[in-house]
Amino acid sequence: RLLDLAEVDSDCSSSPEIAPNSRAYDDLLPPRVLHAACRHHAPLDVLRSIHKLRPSAVREVDADDRAALPHAAAPWNDPAAIKFLLRRHGDAASYQDANGCTPLHLCVHPDDVTHGGRLLSSARSQMQSKEPPLVRIIHYLCCVSPATATLDDDEDCTPIEYAIDSELPLLAVQVL
């Protein structure tokens, strides 16, 4: 469905009746479509298409008080997607959700590192590359909101503590 929306974008952009960012485009998109795309790790071009259709989507929050960024801040996600979202709504890096978690908390949380059947060994194998994606994601989030690295959530844990509990390699903890 999200890819169909990207096609609608290219089909309608030449139409004089519907201009990008118009109310007609908003009617095409369900609420919090960007959240869903981020949660399902949609490719960057899909995120761009959604943003083009509805720029305000990066600022929308869901029932857990999360903007789209925390949904994208998964250890195995594309760092370019994180960078894209941060450039459009950098303040979201410091937002705390209903559980007091920031995107950085969620990125390194032990439950999220192994979420969806993705084993910790997968996150560890990323660390073997010259520029590990998880380390870049942590770096981007810390650059935009450095104070979140030592911010406690509702469980009185910081992202640094979660990174250690997740047994992430030292490089990830050092970046924090």
Side-chain angles (χ1 to χ4, degrees):
R1 176 153 167 88
L2 292 174
L3 293 176
D4 293 340
L5 292 174
E7 289 176 19
V8 168
D9 178 39
S10 63
D11 292 343
C12 295
S13 61
S14 61
S15 170
E17 296 90 353
I18 302 177
N21 304 330
S22 72
R23 182 72 189 140
Y25 272 111
D26 277 349
D27 293 340
L28 291 173
L29 298 175
R32 289 172 290 289
V33 66
L34 188 60
H35 291 67
C38 290
R39 192 169 36 256
H40 295 287
H41 315 294
L44 183 57
D45 60 334
V46 172
L47 300 183
R48 284 186 176 138
S49 293
I50 293 169
H51 182 263
K52 184 177 180 181
L53 294 172
R54 187 188 289 162
S56 63
V58 296
R59 297 185 186 284
E60 293 174 358
V61 294
D62 62 14
D64 291 324
D65 289 332
R66 291 182 182 163
L69 179 64
H71 293 288
W76 54 84
N77 207 352
D78 179 9
I82 305 300
K83 195 173 194 178
F84 173 81
L85 293 168
L86 284 170
R87 285 187 172 167
R88 275 129 194 99
H89 188 44
D91 291 347
S94 60
Y95 288 177
Q96 289 182 280
D97 67 13
N99 299 316
C101 293
T102 65
L104 191 56
H105 284 89
L106 299 172
C107 180
V108 298
H109 194 282
D111 292 343
D112 291 330
V113 170
T114 58
H115 176 69
R118 300 177 200 274
L119 300 176
L120 184 57
S121 60
S122 170
R124 284 188 182 132
S125 68
Q126 284 185 8
M127 295 302 164
Q128 305 305 317
S129 66
K130 185 176 180 182
E131 219 175 8
L134 176 59
V135 172
R136 284 189 285 157
I137 291 170
I138 293 169
H139 175 75
Y140 293 155
L141 292 170
C142 285
C143 282
V144 173
S145 186
T148 59
T150 57
L151 187 65
D152 283 336
D153 64 6
D154 290 354
E155 295 178 16
D156 292 325
C157 287
T158 67
I160 294 171
E161 292 168 324
Y162 282 138
I164 292 168
D165 287 347
S166 298
E167 298 179 14
L168 292 180
L170 183 59
L171 180 58
V173 178
Q174 287 173 331
V175 171
L176 283 166

